[in-house]
Amino acid sequence: GQQVMQIPQYQHVQEGEDFTTYCNSSTTLSNIQWYKQRPGGHPVFLIQLVKSGEVKKQKRLTFQFGEAKKNSSLHITATQTTDVGTYFCAAYMDSNYQLIWGAGTKLIIKP
Amino acid sequence: SAVISQKPSRDICQRGTSLTIQCQVDSQVTMMFWYRQQPGQSLTLIATANQGSEATYESGFVIDKFPISRPNLTFSTLTVSNMSPEDSSIYLCSVPGQGVGELFFGEGSRLTVL
């Protein structure tokens, strides 16, 4: 079936370091959404990207959608303990209306 | 944004029993979605529940195992039937927002089957 590949599975960072997670698809995406799930919590919508090459920022978070609409990234600058959690991408394919979820990237702050 | 209440928030169940999860939304919505999230995994769609019609199940999920009710536009239930330890998961209900197609999730029901 259609898939959205998300890497890495985990990322350990020191507080203050940057964090990036990537999502890739072999087929064109209609749009891509990003969610954050805190430990023990439920997914919370962060943002949606629709346009080719789109870049959006939310404070220390930068979201990008590739020119070919087949990849996306989420970058967090200067991580804080409040950023801990798992970040998921989810995308609608051009070919159907089912929301396809990435595997998630778990952000872990080293003690 | 929608406010979604799920009950129970967690439960420990015995093998072979069934449990019904309730999802209440603070506004009327046409579609409600039921997801399963196994420990440390991503979200998997179980079914889409539309008011007034049978739920639509995804591949690998069947109505006998996961019967769903959708009696009105603000409420739905998911039953996990004849449970086994493999059913230990978080079950999440979700509704679409009215903005850009985002999903809002309930707090989740964390089931442990012994």
Side-chain angles (χ1 to χ4, degrees):
Chain A
Q2 293 170 317
Q3 289 184 322
V4 174
M5 304 301 295
Q6 186 172 0
I7 57 169
Q9 187 176 3
Y10 302 95
Q11 190 166 1
H12 295 77
V13 299
Q14 297 279 2
E15 188 173 3
E17 292 182 336
D18 294 354
F19 162 86
T20 306
T21 174
Y22 302 89
C23 285
N24 295 285
S25 170
S26 59
T27 57
T28 304
L29 306 173
S30 293
N31 57 51
I32 193 158
Q33 302 175 357
W34 287 92
Y35 293 79
K36 176 183 179 180
Q37 185 174 25
R38 294 180 186 271
H42 58 278
V44 174
F45 174 77
L46 295 176
I47 209 162
Q48 175 169 282
L49 304 174
V50 179
K51 300 177 182 177
S52 167
E54 190 169 15
V55 178
K56 289 188 176 180
K57 293 190 176 184
Q58 290 179 350
K59 298 183 180 178
R60 293 177 295 103
L61 278 62
T62 301
F63 305 84
Q64 294 189 352
F65 202 8
E67 292 290 341
K69 299 183 70 173
K70 292 184 177 181
N71 59 76
S72 181
S73 64
L74 159 58
H75 180 82
I76 303 177
T77 304
T79 54
Q80 300 175 359
T81 55
T82 53
D83 296 324
V84 164
T86 301
Y87 293 84
F88 291 97
C89 62
Y92 287 101
M93 303 289 175
D94 269 349
S95 55
N96 63 52
Y97 294 105
Q98 185 177 18
L99 190 60
I100 309 297
W101 290 80
T105 297
K106 190 171 184 179
L107 169 58
I108 300 164
I109 303 280
K110 297 176 186 177
Chain B
S1 63
V3 176
I4 305 170
S5 300
Q6 258 187 261
K7 289 193 293 188
S9 58
R10 61 180 67 244
D11 208 339
I12 299 174
C13 307
Q14 295 299 318
R15 182 195 300 259
T17 63
S18 299
L19 182 77
T20 296
I21 301 166
Q22 299 180 2
C23 181
Q24 178 75 52
V25 189
D26 69 342
S27 58
Q28 293 185 337
V29 292
T30 304
M31 288 191 294
M32 293 178 75
F33 305 102
W34 286 99
Y35 280 90
R36 181 175 74 182
Q37 187 177 30
Q38 294 179 305
Q41 302 296 313
S42 186
L43 283 74
T44 302
L45 182 63
I46 298 172
T48 301
N50 294 321
Q51 194 269 337
S53 63
E54 293 286 335
T56 302
Y57 289 84
E58 298 301 310
S59 175
F61 298 96
V62 295
I63 188 171
D64 289 346
K65 176 68 176 178
F66 297 101
I68 287 170
S69 78
R70 184 79 202 275
N72 57 54
L73 290 173
T74 64
F75 187 78
S76 179
T77 68
L78 169 76
T79 299
V80 186
S81 303
N82 188 25
M83 287 185 285
S84 66
E86 292 72 31
D87 295 319
S88 296
S89 289
I90 303 170
Y91 292 85
L92 295 149
C93 70
S94 173
V95 301
Q98 298 189 5
V100 294
E102 72 275 25
L103 294 182
F104 294 102
F105 288 86
E107 303 96 333
S109 298
R110 289 157 177 77
L111 303 188
T112 301
V113 184
L114 303 178

Coordinates of all heavy atoms in Angstrom, one line a residue, chain A residues 17-62:
Chain A
E17 N 20.1 21.9 21.5 CA 20.4 21.5 20.2 C 19.2 21.5 19.3 O 18.1 21.5 19.7 CB 21.1 20.1 20.2 CG 22.4 20.0 20.9 CD 23.0 18.6 20.9 OE1 22.3 17.6 20.8 OE2 24.3 18.6 21.1
D18 N 19.5 21.3 18.0 CA 18.4 21.3 17.0 C 17.9 19.9 16.8 O 18.6 18.9 17.1 CB 18.8 21.9 15.7 CG 19.1 23.4 15.8 OD1 18.9 24.0 16.9 OD2 19.6 24.0 14.8
F19 N 16.7 19.8 16.2 CA 16.1 18.5 15.9 C 15.4 18.6 14.6 O 14.8 19.6 14.2 CB 15.0 18.2 17.0 CG 14.0 17.2 16.6 CD1 14.3 15.8 16.9 CD2 12.8 17.5 16.1 CE1 13.3 14.8 16.5 CE2 11.8 16.5 15.8 CZ 12.1 15.2 16.0
T20 N 15.5 17.5 13.8 CA 14.8 17.5 12.5 C 14.3 16.1 12.2 O 14.9 15.1 12.5 CB 15.8 17.9 11.3 OG1 16.4 19.1 11.6 CG2 15.0 18.0 10.0
T21 N 13.1 16.1 11.7 CA 12.5 14.8 11.3 C 12.0 15.0 9.8 O 11.6 16.1 9.4 CB 11.3 14.4 12.2 OG1 10.6 13.3 11.6 CG2 10.3 15.5 12.4
Y22 N 12.1 13.9 9.1 CA 11.8 13.9 7.6 C 10.8 12.9 7.2 O 10.7 11.8 7.8 CB 13.1 13.6 6.9 CG 14.3 14.5 7.1 CD1 15.2 14.2 8.2 CD2 14.5 15.6 6.4 CE1 16.3 15.0 8.4 CE2 15.6 16.4 6.7 CZ 16.5 16.1 7.7 OH 17.6 16.9 7.9
C23 N 9.9 13.3 6.3 CA 9.0 12.4 5.7 C 9.1 12.4 4.2 O 9.3 13.4 3.6 CB 7.5 12.8 6.1 SG 7.1 12.4 7.8
N24 N 9.0 11.2 3.7 CA 9.2 11.0 2.2 C 8.2 10.1 1.7 O 7.8 9.1 2.3 CB 10.6 10.5 1.9 CG 11.7 11.4 2.3 OD1 12.0 12.4 1.7 ND2 12.4 11.1 3.4
S25 N 7.8 10.4 0.4 CA 6.8 9.5 -0.3 C 7.3 9.3 -1.7 O 8.0 10.2 -2.3 CB 5.4 10.2 -0.3 OG 4.6 9.5 -1.1
S26 N 7.0 8.1 -2.3 CA 7.3 7.9 -3.6 C 6.3 8.5 -4.6 O 6.5 8.6 -5.8 CB 7.4 6.4 -3.9 OG 6.2 5.7 -3.6
T27 N 5.1 8.9 -4.0 CA 4.1 9.5 -4.8 C 3.8 10.9 -4.4 O 4.1 11.3 -3.2 CB 2.8 8.6 -4.8 OG1 2.4 8.5 -3.4 CG2 3.0 7.2 -5.3
T28 N 3.2 11.7 -5.2 CA 2.9 13.0 -4.9 C 1.8 13.1 -3.8 O 0.8 12.4 -3.8 CB 2.4 13.8 -6.2 OG1 3.3 13.6 -7.2 CG2 2.1 15.2 -5.9
L29 N 2.1 14.0 -2.9 CA 1.2 14.3 -1.8 C 0.3 15.5 -2.1 O 0.7 16.5 -2.6 CB 2.0 14.5 -0.5 CG 3.0 13.4 -0.2 CD1 3.8 13.9 1.0 CD2 2.3 12.1 0.1
S30 N -1.0 15.4 -1.7 CA -1.9 16.5 -1.9 C -1.5 17.6 -0.8 O -1.5 18.8 -1.1 CB -3.4 16.1 -1.6 OG -3.8 15.2 -2.7
N31 N -1.3 17.1 0.4 CA -0.9 18.0 1.4 C -0.2 17.2 2.5 O -0.2 15.9 2.4 CB -2.1 18.8 2.0 CG -3.2 17.9 2.5 OD1 -2.9 17.0 3.3 ND2 -4.4 18.1 2.1
I32 N 0.4 17.8 3.5 CA 1.0 17.1 4.6 C 0.7 17.8 5.9 O 0.7 19.0 5.9 CB 2.5 16.8 4.3 CG1 3.0 15.8 5.3 CG2 3.3 18.2 4.4 CD1 4.3 15.1 4.9
Q33 N 0.4 17.0 6.9 CA 0.1 17.6 8.2 C 1.1 17.1 9.2 O 1.7 16.0 9.0 CB -1.3 17.1 8.6 CG -2.4 17.5 7.7 CD -3.8 17.0 8.1 OE1 -3.9 16.2 9.1 NE2 -4.8 17.4 7.4
W34 N 1.3 17.9 10.2 CA 2.3 17.5 11.3 C 1.5 17.5 12.6 O 0.8 18.5 12.9 CB 3.5 18.4 11.3 CG 4.4 18.2 10.2 CD1 4.5 18.8 9.0 CD2 5.5 17.2 10.2 NE1 5.5 18.3 8.2 CE2 6.2 17.3 8.9 CE3 6.0 16.3 11.1 CZ2 7.3 16.6 8.6 CZ3 7.1 15.5 10.8 CH2 7.7 15.7 9.5
Y35 N 1.8 16.5 13.4 CA 1.2 16.3 14.7 C 2.3 16.1 15.8 O 3.3 15.5 15.5 CB 0.2 15.2 14.8 CG -1.0 15.3 13.9 CD1 -1.0 15.1 12.5 CD2 -2.3 15.7 14.5 CE1 -2.1 15.3 11.7 CE2 -3.4 15.9 13.7 CZ -3.3 15.7 12.3 OH -4.4 15.9 11.5
K36 N 1.9 16.5 17.0 CA 2.8 16.2 18.1 C 2.1 15.4 19.2 O 0.9 15.8 19.5 CB 3.3 17.5 18.8 CG 4.2 17.3 20.0 CD 4.6 18.6 20.6 CE 5.4 18.4 21.9 NZ 5.8 19.7 22.5
Q37 N 2.7 14.4 19.7 CA 2.1 13.6 20.7 C 3.0 13.6 21.9 O 4.1 13.0 21.9 CB 1.8 12.1 20.2 CG 1.0 11.3 21.2 CD 0.7 9.9 20.7 OE1 1.3 9.4 19.7 NE2 -0.4 9.3 21.2
R38 N 2.6 14.2 23.0 CA 3.4 14.2 24.2 C 3.3 12.8 24.8 O 2.3 12.1 24.6 CB 2.9 15.2 25.2 CG 3.1 16.6 24.7 CD 2.5 17.6 25.8 NE 2.6 19.0 25.3 CZ 3.6 19.8 25.5 NH1 4.7 19.3 26.1 NH2 3.6 21.0 25.1
P39 N 4.3 12.4 25.6 CA 4.3 11.1 26.3 C 3.0 11.0 27.1 O 2.6 11.9 27.9 CB 5.5 11.2 27.2 CG 6.4 12.1 26.5 CD 5.6 13.1 25.9
G40 N 2.2 9.9 26.9 CA 1.0 9.7 27.6 C -0.2 10.5 27.0 O -1.3 10.4 27.6
G41 N 0.0 11.2 26.0 CA -1.0 12.1 25.5 C -1.6 11.6 24.1 O -1.3 10.5 23.7
H42 N -2.3 12.5 23.5 CA -2.9 12.2 22.2 C -2.3 13.1 21.2 O -1.8 14.1 21.5 CB -4.4 12.3 22.3 CG -4.9 13.7 22.6 ND1 -5.0 14.1 24.0 CD2 -5.3 14.7 21.9 CE1 -5.4 15.3 24.0 NE2 -5.6 15.7 22.8
P43 N -2.4 12.7 19.9 CA -1.8 13.6 18.8 C -2.5 14.9 18.8 O -3.8 15.0 18.9 CB -2.1 12.8 17.6 CG -2.2 11.4 18.0 CD -2.9 11.4 19.3
V44 N -1.7 16.0 18.6 CA -2.3 17.3 18.5 C -1.8 17.9 17.2 O -0.6 17.9 16.9 CB -1.8 18.2 19.7 CG1 -2.2 19.6 19.5 CG2 -2.4 17.6 21.0
F45 N -2.7 18.4 16.4 CA -2.4 19.0 15.1 C -1.5 20.3 15.3 O -1.8 21.1 16.1 CB -3.7 19.4 14.4 CG -3.5 20.2 13.1 CD1 -3.2 19.5 12.0 CD2 -3.7 21.5 13.1 CE1 -3.0 20.2 10.8 CE2 -3.6 22.2 11.9 CZ -3.3 21.5 10.7
L46 N -0.4 20.3 14.5 CA 0.5 21.5 14.5 C 0.2 22.4 13.3 O 0.0 23.6 13.4 CB 1.9 21.0 14.5 CG 2.4 20.2 15.7 CD1 3.9 19.8 15.5 CD2 2.3 21.1 17.0
I47 N 0.2 21.7 12.1 CA 0.2 22.6 10.9 C -0.1 21.7 9.7 O 0.1 20.5 9.7 CB 1.5 23.3 10.7 CG1 1.4 24.6 9.9 CG2 2.6 22.4 10.0 CD1 2.6 25.6 10.1
Q48 N -0.6 22.3 8.6 CA -0.7 21.7 7.3 C 0.0 22.5 6.2 O -0.1 23.7 6.2 CB -2.2 21.5 6.9 CG -2.4 20.9 5.6 CD -3.9 20.5 5.3 OE1 -4.3 19.5 5.8 NE2 -4.6 21.4 4.5
L49 N 0.7 21.8 5.3 CA 1.3 22.4 4.2 C 0.6 21.9 2.9 O 0.4 20.7 2.8 CB 2.8 22.0 4.2 CG 3.6 22.4 5.4 CD1 5.0 21.8 5.3 CD2 3.7 23.9 5.7
V50 N 0.4 22.8 2.0 CA -0.3 22.4 0.8 C 0.5 22.7 -0.5 O 0.4 22.0 -1.4 CB -1.7 23.2 0.8 CG1 -2.4 22.8 -0.5 CG2 -2.5 22.8 2.0
K51 N 1.2 23.8 -0.5 CA 1.8 24.3 -1.7 C 3.2 23.8 -1.9 O 4.0 23.6 -0.9 CB 1.9 25.8 -1.7 CG 0.5 26.5 -1.6 CD 0.6 28.0 -1.6 CE -0.7 28.7 -1.4 NZ -0.6 30.1 -1.3
S52 N 3.6 23.5 -3.1 CA 4.9 23.1 -3.5 C 5.9 24.1 -2.9 O 5.8 25.3 -3.2 CB 5.1 23.0 -5.0 OG 6.4 22.9 -5.4
G53 N 7.0 23.6 -2.2 CA 8.0 24.5 -1.7 C 7.6 25.4 -0.5 O 8.4 26.2 -0.1
E54 N 6.5 25.1 0.0 CA 6.0 25.9 1.1 C 6.8 25.8 2.4 O 7.3 24.7 2.7 CB 4.5 25.5 1.4 CG 3.8 26.5 2.4 CD 2.3 26.2 2.5 OE1 1.9 25.1 2.0 OE2 1.6 27.0 3.0
V55 N 7.0 26.9 3.1 CA 7.8 27.0 4.3 C 6.9 27.7 5.3 O 6.5 28.8 5.0 CB 9.1 27.6 4.2 CG1 9.8 27.7 5.6 CG2 10.0 26.9 3.2
K56 N 6.7 27.1 6.5 CA 5.9 27.8 7.5 C 6.7 27.7 8.8 O 7.4 26.7 9.1 CB 4.5 27.2 7.7 CG 3.6 27.5 6.5 CD 2.2 27.0 6.9 CE 1.2 27.4 5.8 NZ -0.2 26.9 6.1
K57 N 6.5 28.8 9.6 CA 7.2 28.8 10.9 C 6.2 29.0 12.1 O 5.2 29.8 11.9 CB 8.3 29.9 10.9 CG 9.4 29.6 10.0 CD 10.6 30.6 10.2 CE 11.7 30.3 9.3 NZ 12.9 31.1 9.6
Q58 N 6.5 28.3 13.2 CA 5.8 28.5 14.4 C 6.8 28.6 15.5 O 7.3 27.6 16.0 CB 4.8 27.3 14.7 CG 3.6 27.2 13.8 CD 2.8 26.0 14.2 OE1 3.1 25.2 15.0 NE2 1.6 25.9 13.5
K59 N 7.2 29.9 15.8 CA 8.2 30.1 16.8 C 9.5 29.4 16.5 O 10.1 29.7 15.5 CB 7.7 29.7 18.2 CG 6.5 30.5 18.7 CD 6.0 30.2 20.1 CE 4.8 31.0 20.5 NZ 4.3 30.7 21.8
R60 N 9.9 28.4 17.2 CA 11.1 27.7 16.9 C 11.0 26.5 16.0 O 11.9 25.8 15.7 CB 11.7 27.1 18.3 CG 12.2 28.2 19.2 CD 12.7 27.6 20.6 NE 11.6 27.0 21.3 CZ 11.4 25.7 21.3 NH1 12.3 24.9 20.7 NH2 10.4 25.2 22.0
L61 N 9.7 26.3 15.5 CA 9.5 25.2 14.6 C 9.4 25.7 13.1 O 8.7 26.7 12.9 CB 8.1 24.5 14.9 CG 8.2 23.4 16.1 CD1 8.6 24.1 17.4 CD2 6.8 22.8 16.2
T62 N 10.1 25.0 12.2 CA 10.0 25.3 10.8 C 9.6 24.1 10.0 O 10.2 23.0 10.2 CB 11.4 25.8 10.3 OG1 11.8 27.0 11.0 CG2 11.3 26.2 8.8

